[in-house]
Amino acid sequence: MLETAKGCHRLVGQRVDQHATGNNPVGYSSRTSHVAGQDIRLQAIDCVVGEKNVEGDYSDDSKAKRFPKWEAPSRSVSAPIASGVSLKGLVEEWWKEAKAAGRKPSTYESYRNTVAKLVVVLKHDNASSVTPEDIVRFKDVRIESGVSPKTVKDSDLAGLKTIFGWAVMNRRMSINPAEGLTIKTSKPRKLRAKGFSDKEAILILKHAKTCKAGGEAPKLAAAKRWVPWLCAFTGARVGEMLQLRKQDVRREGKHWIVHVTPEAGPVKTDEARDVVLHPQIIESGFLDYVKASNAGHLFISPSVDELGFARR
C-alpha cells in the first residue's frame, strides 16, 4: 500500500512537470490546459490523503474543510401555476384538445363523470387545492361505496392521472396529485364463458323476432327488432349496429353490404369496414325497413356531439 501511494506521487509529479513545460497530459488539448491543471491539483490532494491513510492517519483532511458542506436540495411543492382553475373546467379544456386528436366521446364522458364524483367527495371544485391525500381519500370512498378496485384503478385513477397530467404539461397545475397512486388487483374468477350460450342466443333472437312495439319511439322498437339479428350475422358490436345510417346499407353486385364507419359514430378500431349481410336477415325484411326509413340513422336520433359529431 505504501508503494502504491509513492507511485501515485511519482505519477502526479510527472504530470506536473509536463504541465509546467507546456506538454499537456494525455487526453487534454492546449485549449483545455487549465482543466488539466485543476485535475492535477485534485490528484495531488488525493495522493496526500491516501498516503496519510496508509500510515494509519485517518484524521479529517484539512484541505477538504475549504469546501462548503453539501446539502441535498429540498423539494418543495410550489403554488399552482394558474389560479382559479376548476376541476370541471380542466376536463373541458382537456377535451377540446383530446377531441381534435381523435379521442372518443366515451372517454370524455368517463373522465367527466369521475371528476364530478371527485368534486362531490372533496366538496369543492378548486383544482389548486387538490392534494395527493385527497386522491387517496377519493379512492377509499369509491371502494367503500362498493365500486370494484379494478374499476377504480382502470377508470377513476386512470382518468384523473390523464387530466392532471395534461394540466401540468399545459401550465394549469404544478403537480399531478394522482401520480404514482394505484391499486393492486387480482384476476377475478370466471364462472362462465364470456359469450352467450346457444340456448341464450336462441332466446334473445326469438324474442327480438316476435317483439311487438309498445309505447317506445319507433326507432327504439326497430332497434329491438333488428339490432340483435344484425349483431348475430355480422359479428359487429351493438353500438356499431345501433349507429347504422341509411346510406351505410348498399348493394354491390349480388350482395348487400353494411358499412361500419367512424363517420356514423364510435368504432373501436377507428377504422371503417364492410360486412356482407346474410341472406336470412334480408329475407326477414330488413331491407324493407331500410328503404322505408328517412335518411340518417336507422335506430337512434343522436343529439349534438353525442356521438362525436353534430347532427345535421
Side-chain angles (χ1 to χ4, degrees), residues 197-209:
S197 66
D198 289 346
K199 182 178 180 180
E200 291 168 334
I202 290 171
L203 286 174
I204 292 171
L205 294 175
K206 279 186 175 180
H207 182 74
K209 191 172 184 178

Side-chain angles (χ1 to χ4, degrees), residues 24 30 56 82 90 123-124 174 180 186 208 225 233 243 248 277 284-285 294 303:
N24 295 313
S30 58
L90 280 181
K123 298 181 180 179
H124 70 76
S174 59
S186 58
R225 168 64 182 89
F233 281 118
Q243 66 198 27
D248 295 329
L277 284 177
S284 298
N294 296 324
S303 58

Side-chain angles (χ1 to χ4, degrees), residues 57-275:
D57 183 359
Y58 291 92
S59 60
D60 292 339
D61 178 19
S62 59
K63 302 287 186 181
K65 295 180 179 179
R66 296 177 301 165
F67 303 103
K69 185 179 180 181
W70 183 84
E71 294 182 0
S74 60
R75 183 181 179 184
S76 59
V77 178
S78 59
I81 298 173
S83 59
V85 178
S86 71
L87 289 167
K88 294 179 180 178
L90 280 181
V91 179
E92 299 306 322
E93 288 189 76
W94 166 83
W95 175 236
K96 289 179 183 178
E97 187 175 305
K99 181 181 177 182
R103 296 296 295 269
K104 298 183 186 304
S106 58
T107 302
Y108 161 64
E109 292 174 6
S110 174
Y111 289 4
R112 182 182 60 185
N113 292 337
T114 294
V115 170
K117 294 182 180 76
L118 176 63
V119 170
V120 171
V121 172
L122 299 182
K123 298 181 180 179
H124 70 76
D125 190 28
N126 187 357
S128 65
S129 299
V130 180
T131 65
E133 291 74 21
D134 289 331
I135 306 304
V136 173
R137 181 160 61 91
F138 172 69
K139 168 189 67 87
D140 294 340
V141 169
R142 291 284 284 159
I143 294 176
E144 290 170 2
S145 67
V147 181
S148 72
K150 180 175 174 56
T151 298
V152 176
K153 175 185 177 182
D154 296 342
S155 181
D156 293 339
L157 295 182
L160 293 177
K161 288 176 183 178
T162 297
I163 296 298
F164 290 139
W166 178 90
V168 171
M169 287 190 295
N170 288 272
R171 311 294 288 175
R172 302 297 195 278
M173 297 176 68
S174 59
I175 65 167
N176 182 341
E179 185 178 4
L181 182 60
T182 187
I183 302 175
K184 290 186 177 181
T185 58
S186 58
K187 194 172 182 180
R189 293 187 302 164
K190 293 182 179 180
L191 303 180
R192 56 160 293 163
K194 194 172 184 179
F196 294 115
S197 66
D198 289 346
K199 182 178 180 180
E200 291 168 334
I202 290 171
L203 286 174
I204 292 171
L205 294 175
K206 279 186 175 180
H207 182 74
K209 191 172 184 178
T210 59
C211 181
K212 303 297 181 182
E216 68 267 54
K219 283 189 176 182
L220 178 56
K224 292 179 179 179
R225 168 64 182 89
W226 294 112
V227 170
W229 283 85
L230 286 168
C231 289
F233 281 118
T234 64
R237 300 171 179 86
V238 174
E240 293 173 340
M241 293 295 97
L242 275 173
Q243 66 198 27
L244 275 182
R245 303 167 301 175
K246 186 171 184 175
Q247 61 265 39
D248 295 329
V249 183
R250 71 181 191 276
R251 183 167 187 168
E252 288 190 6
K254 298 180 180 180
H255 303 289
W256 282 91
I257 309 291
V258 291
H259 185 56
V260 181
T261 171
E263 292 179 334
V267 176
K268 192 172 183 66
T269 59
D270 281 330
E271 295 181 2
R273 66 183 188 276
D274 289 335
V275 184

